[in-house]
Amino acid sequence: MPDNVNTTETSYADGKILKHAADGVGVVTFNNPDKRNAMSLEMWEGFGEALTSLRDDDAVRVVILRGAGGKAFVSGADISQFEQTRHNAAASEQYAKRSAAQRALLADYPKPTIACIQGFCLGGGMQVAMLTDIRIAAHDSQFGIPAARLGIAYGYDGLKHLVSLVGPSWARLLMYTGMRIDSTEALRIGLVERVIPDDQLWGEAMAIAETISQNAPLAIRAAKITIAQVLKDESGRDMDAIKAIGTACMDSADFREGRQAFMEKRKPQFRGR
């Protein structure tokens, strides 16, 4: 999975979370390949810092998440920490609070997000991937949630996203058995959107990200907000937010640029305002 981005890399969590950005595309890399990118608490917190930095960078329009080493996206939580961090209910609650803040950040992320999945995507890795907007996977990917094999309860938010993607029956099968499924099955049940040959995965992820980064940011923001509201119960939908972003689009310089570029038969130059 070669990098096509020449830019300064920033590291967090002692180098186990990496971040870089160029040409409108931000990339966060889970960089713990010796443990198949299993997530420690420090990595969760570093992940949040990386996401926040890219969120606040106006030059970044889309963010890709990926795993280092080619063997895993994220293989779950770092079980070697469990004796210290999740040995009973009280400790587990504290662990959940610290990691939940980072998942909430991703769940409400204002920019489009893409999970670029190769190898193992298990447990907490599934939770991260399910929180992204788009999931593309290499042929060699494997998916599963082994909570039943570890004797732990998978959280409400994770199961909510799982059910919304694959339905309750498949959610039960995956959770009750702890089974792993391959990328073909994941595509069939709606867990991922595309399956790509292993050696083409990164190029495809970048192609999608670059296409998104060249489109009008406000229009993409409108789509993201509206889709999120559609997925809520009708009584909980924020129709004012949908109206506000729609108005912002129609009054934007980008809308004028889009119209003019179409008439002049040239590529539009969107600025997000």
Side-chain angles (χ1 to χ4, degrees), residues 14 26 29 98 136 173 198 218 248 263:
D14 293 326
T29 303
R98 291 175 66 184
I136 64 171
L173 181 60
D198 300 1
L218 283 174
M263 297 300 293

Side-chain angles (χ1 to χ4, degrees), residues 23 36 94 98 104 108 120 129 136 143 158 173 226 261:
D23 300 325
R36 293 179 173 173
Q94 290 302 311
R98 291 175 66 184
D108 294 327
F120 295 104
I136 64 171
F143 302 83
L173 181 60
T226 304

Side-chain angles (χ1 to χ4, degrees), residues 71-95:
K71 301 286 187 181
F73 174 69
V74 172
S75 62
D78 186 348
I79 297 176
S80 68
Q81 287 195 334
F82 278 21
E83 281 303 312
Q84 289 75 39
T85 62
R86 301 181 75 178
H87 54 281
N88 59 28
S92 186
E93 183 176 358
Q94 290 302 311
Y95 176 98

Side-chain angles (χ1 to χ4, degrees), residues 245-261:
I245 191 62
T247 300
C249 285
M250 298 305 292
D251 287 342
S252 69
D254 276 356
F255 181 38
R256 293 192 295 276
E257 166 65 7
R259 298 196 311 272
Q260 186 147 2

Side-chain angles (χ1 to χ4, degrees), residues 58 61 212-222 245-263 266-273:
D58 290 339
R61 296 186 177 181
I212 292 170
S213 72
Q214 292 165 12
N215 286 335
L218 283 174
I220 292 171
R221 178 74 174 140
I245 191 62
T247 300
C249 285
M250 298 305 292
D251 287 342
S252 69
D254 276 356
F255 181 38
R256 293 192 295 276
E257 166 65 7
R259 298 196 311 272
Q260 186 147 2
F262 179 82
M263 297 300 293
R266 62 173 173 79
K267 187 175 180 180
Q269 299 296 316
F270 294 120
R271 305 198 180 279
R273 55 180 186 267

Side-chain angles (χ1 to χ4, degrees), residues 131-142:
L131 287 169
T132 62
D133 295 317
I134 300 166
R135 288 161 294 281
I136 64 171
H139 281 302
D140 70 354
S141 302
Q142 295 186 46

Side-chain angles (χ1 to χ4, degrees), residues 1-206:
M1 190 184 293
D3 287 343
N4 295 323
V5 180
N6 295 316
T7 186
T8 302
E9 197 163 55
T10 304
S11 67
Y12 306 86
D14 293 326
K16 292 179 180 177
I17 297 291
L18 305 176
K19 177 211 78 178
H20 61 244
D23 300 325
V25 180
V27 180
V28 177
T29 303
F30 303 104
N31 187 40
N32 192 15
D34 290 343
K35 292 188 176 182
R36 293 179 173 173
N37 301 324
M39 293 286 282
S40 63
L41 270 175
E42 294 75 19
M43 286 177 68
W44 277 114
E45 290 168 353
F47 178 47
E49 292 179 65
L51 285 177
T52 299
S53 176
L54 292 171
R55 181 198 65 193
D56 296 341
D57 185 344
D58 290 339
V60 172
R61 296 186 177 181
V62 57
V63 174
I64 302 174
L65 308 182
R66 67 174 186 174
K71 301 286 187 181
F73 174 69
V74 172
S75 62
D78 186 348
I79 297 176
S80 68
Q81 287 195 334
F82 278 21
E83 281 303 312
Q84 289 75 39
T85 62
R86 301 181 75 178
H87 54 281
N88 59 28
S92 186
E93 183 176 358
Q94 290 302 311
Y95 176 98
K97 286 180 179 178
R98 291 175 66 184
S99 60
Q102 324 311 326
R103 291 192 294 274
L105 177 62
L106 180 57
D108 294 327
Y109 210 65
K111 299 177 181 181
T113 52
I114 301 169
C116 179
I117 302 164
Q118 184 169 23
F120 295 104
C121 182
L122 307 173
M126 281 264 289
Q127 200 161 11
V128 171
M130 290 189 296
L131 287 169
T132 62
D133 295 317
I134 300 166
R135 288 161 294 281
I136 64 171
H139 281 302
D140 70 354
S141 302
Q142 295 186 46
F143 302 83
I145 301 172
R149 297 183 178 184
L150 294 170
I152 60 176
Y154 204 62
Y156 171 82
D157 287 339
L159 282 176
K160 178 182 177 182
H161 284 98
L162 181 64
V163 171
S164 73
L165 289 171
V166 306
S169 295
W170 261 103
R172 293 185 187 103
L173 181 60
L174 290 169
M175 294 305 302
Y176 295 175
T177 65
M179 68 188 290
R180 294 180 187 174
I181 60 173
D182 62 18
S183 59
T184 300
E185 192 81 281
L187 179 65
R188 188 182 71 80
I189 67 175
L191 190 58
V192 301
E193 281 70 64
R194 300 190 70 180
V195 173
I196 308 295
D198 300 1
D199 61 350
Q200 298 174 30
L201 179 67
W202 182 242
E204 181 67 16
M206 281 299 297

